[in-house]
Amino acid sequence: MEGVKNIISEVRSHFPALETSMNGRRLVYLDNAATTQKSREVLEFISGAMVNKNANVHRSMYALSDLATEAYEAAREKVRSFINAPERENIIFTSGTTASINLVASSFCQAFLKEGDAVLIEADSHHSNIVPWQLAAQRVGAFIKVLPIDGSGNLCTNLAESLLTPEVKIVALTQVSNVLGVENTIAEIIKIAHKKGIPVLVDGAQGVVHSEVDVQKMDCDFYAFSAHKIYGATGVGILYGKRDWLEKMPPYMGGGDMVETVTYQKTTYAPLPLKFEAGTPNFTGAASLLPALETAEYLRRGEVGDALKKEERAIVSFMMEKLSQIPDIEIYGTPENLEKKHPIFSFNVKGVNAGDMAQILDKMGVAVRSGLMCAEPLINSFGATSALRASFAPYNTLEEADYFVQCLQRALQMLK
Ligand code: PMP
């Protein structure tokens, strides 16, 4: 027990933000599904790179630019190995999960979606895995189909077979919903879709933080995630794509770096991955994925990984038990098997405004999200117009979960 405590306090010392105060209280940061705090290694890398590696990438014949390019490409290699992609050409840097999904929705659909076709999405999708598909569908007169979830927040995998009709040209799944925290059964759906020759994109924005991802094992065709949710910089995203699809898809944006030759009338494009990386990328931010993913590995490997996993499972049991004891509470995402539940807890208490709860918690130093959480159709399906969400990262503790519950109970006493 003491050993686990020591490991956790050592882990937390890597994240300077966790030692700060808010509203005169020690910060208890429970909005990790929105963005994670950065490790010292990432912060030091970024400030160092701004001085020692700050030159534009892939462009120049001088040493400083080479250093910047090497750091950018080293991060690409780190991402490749982190998600076990076969080649560097599979890894495209974007500005975030949203940009990665927009890239596929726009480029894939331009080539392969026509009038009368459909895109299958999930009922628990984030807006960024809904709206890009609507935009793409509207351009050609295609439509959106929705794979439902059940009352506990489990995906209705049994309906996939019947929903995957011949007009469906691509499936957009969510590995873990940012509201429900439930690990979705995407492997099964990918299998069914592939049997019918339909490619699958997976939104891994939350999934990559909480589970080991192997894109070859998962066999998804595209996988999207954001650096800022996994201890890295904001404004950086990753799109993994199978080479065959990426080769067949037209460029998404035009500009510098994505070209081979340009005339006033015609352009030939750079090979992968640069074909999809027009313009100056956030090269320092992207390069910081190297220390960010090393941080992620440090948090999940060896005795540190074991200790944090144990703490995470204790947090999930504790939170589900304590929250369910609150009168008039409705918790979203309550799988029977708690092994499927990641530490993301969204709920409403009848008669209490989620925003009011969040504001009172903030006064106690607790940072949580309230609102629609970019999942309006899902929140509305619960008959709600907002919810409160506490989302934990591996550096959060059971003690913080306990403090959160105590503060919530005090807030409810004030508001009820
Ligand atoms: N999908 C999911 C499941 C998310 O949680 C988020 C971020 N809340 C996104 C997509 C969008 O990520 P970003 O804003 O970094 O593009």
Side-chain angles (χ1 to χ4, degrees):
M1 201 58 202
E2 203 47 40
V4 169
K5 272 203 158 157
N6 290 342
I7 288 173
I8 294 174
S9 62
E10 165 65 20
V11 162
R12 288 175 66 84
S13 73
H14 284 260
F15 295 86
L18 303 180
E19 284 157 21
T20 61
S21 298
M22 201 51 65
N23 291 324
R25 311 284 179 109
R26 188 189 61 142
L27 174 68
V28 175
Y29 183 75
L30 299 179
D31 195 17
N32 295 284
T35 199
T36 50
Q37 299 302 337
K38 314 306 165 206
S39 65
R40 209 182 320 118
E41 290 74 10
V42 169
L43 298 169
E44 283 168 7
F45 176 89
I46 290 174
S47 59
M50 286 290 192
V51 177
N52 298 317
K53 296 184 169 66
N54 185 39
N56 213 328
V57 289
H58 298 142
R59 281 175 170 79
S60 305
M61 298 297 286
Y62 56 89
L64 192 60
S65 174
D66 285 347
L67 286 176
T69 305
E70 275 163 24
Y72 185 71
E73 292 303 325
R76 196 189 306 275
E77 170 52 27
K78 186 72 198 172
V79 172
R80 187 207 64 71
S81 69
F82 190 74
I83 60 171
N84 195 29
E87 305 169 291
R88 70 180 276 281
E89 286 79 3
N90 300 117
I91 307 298
I92 293 157
F93 285 128
T94 67
S95 65
T97 306
T98 304
S100 299
I101 298 173
N102 272 277
L103 189 164
V104 179
S106 183
S107 173
F108 177 93
C109 294
Q110 186 187 328
F112 300 107
L113 199 74
K114 56 181 192 330
E115 191 176 354
D117 284 344
V119 178
L120 181 69
I121 65 171
E122 288 182 15
D124 60 350
S125 302
H126 187 279
H127 292 167
S128 62
N129 210 11
I130 301 175
V131 187
W133 302 109
Q134 290 175 352
L135 290 170
Q138 280 159 13
R139 271 181 223 124
V140 296
F143 65 103
I144 305 293
K145 290 174 96 170
V146 182
L147 186 60
I149 54 165
D150 68 17
S152 305
N154 301 302
L155 209 54
C156 297
T157 312
N158 57 326
L159 299 179
E161 181 75 44
S162 60
L163 282 166
L164 285 168
T165 48
E167 63 268 24
V168 176
K169 293 297 181 293
I170 186 161
V171 182
L173 299 179
T174 302
Q175 190 178 4
V176 177
S177 148
N178 63 312
V179 175
L180 307 172
V182 178
E183 180 82 36
N184 282 326
T185 44
I186 54 173
E188 276 175 62
I189 300 169
I190 292 170
K191 257 191 213 142
I192 301 169
H194 281 176
K195 255 194 226 147
K196 299 178 185 233
I198 308 170
V200 179
L201 172 139
V202 175
D203 172 352
Q206 301 297 336
V208 75
V209 185
H210 296 288
S211 316
E212 298 248 352
V213 171
D214 180 329
V215 287
Q216 295 189 69
K217 233 190 235 160
M218 191 185 282
D219 199 25
C220 55
D221 299 273
F222 303 100
Y223 188 87
F225 65 102
S226 298
H228 71 98
K229 290 189 200 283
I230 187 156
Y231 326 114
T234 42
V236 178
I238 294 90
L239 174 67
Y240 157 81
K242 281 189 182 165
R243 194 177 184 130
D244 271 7
W245 286 118
L246 294 177
E247 296 282 9
K248 284 182 200 150
M249 284 159 47
Y252 171 48
M253 292 201 294
D257 236 22
M258 52 77 74
V259 299
E260 205 170 54
T261 61
V262 182
T263 69
Y264 289 117
Q265 306 302 334
K266 196 173 175 312
T267 295
T268 56
Y269 307 117
L272 291 171
L274 296 188
K275 171 180 155 187
F276 289 106
E277 292 184 7
T280 300
N282 179 354
F283 53 82
T284 308
S288 78
L289 268 161
L290 177 62
L293 296 181
E294 281 172 356
T295 297
E297 285 170 348
Y298 159 66
L299 299 179
R300 50 174 76 152
R301 303 258 159 99
E303 64 167 5
V304 170
D306 291 345
L308 298 190
K309 200 68 200 157
K310 222 176 183 179
E311 187 82 350
E312 181 201 274
R313 289 299 94 202
I315 289 170
V316 170
S317 305
F318 175 86
M319 287 288 285
M320 293 306 274
E321 189 192 331
K322 294 291 173 188
L323 288 178
S324 63
Q325 288 165 358
I326 292 173
D328 297 327
I329 195 165
E330 191 174 356
I331 308 170
Y332 309 122
T334 53
E336 206 169 298
N337 176 4
L338 280 190
E339 285 300 312
K340 284 180 67 184
K341 177 83 177 171
H342 293 288
I344 299 175
F345 309 96
S346 300
F347 57 90
N348 269 306
V349 179
K350 211 170 164 190
V352 181
N353 181 284
D356 292 345
M357 283 192 276
Q359 279 184 329
I360 294 176
L361 288 165
D362 179 46
K363 296 282 175 284
M364 301 172 185
V366 181
V368 289
R369 178 83 189 266
S370 62
L372 288 163
M373 286 168 276
C374 298
E376 186 169 357
L378 176 67
I379 299 286
N380 288 348
S381 75
F382 302 135
T385 50
S386 70
L388 191 81
R389 180 184 71 193
S391 55
F392 292 66
Y395 47 64
N396 286 122
T397 63
L398 189 55
E399 201 186 330
E400 288 178 306
D402 187 36
Y403 182 67
F404 166 77
V405 171
Q406 286 176 37
C407 292
L408 179 66
Q409 282 162 342
R410 283 193 359 237
L412 288 172
Q413 276 167 7
M414 292 180 213
L415 292 167
K416 275 196 123 181

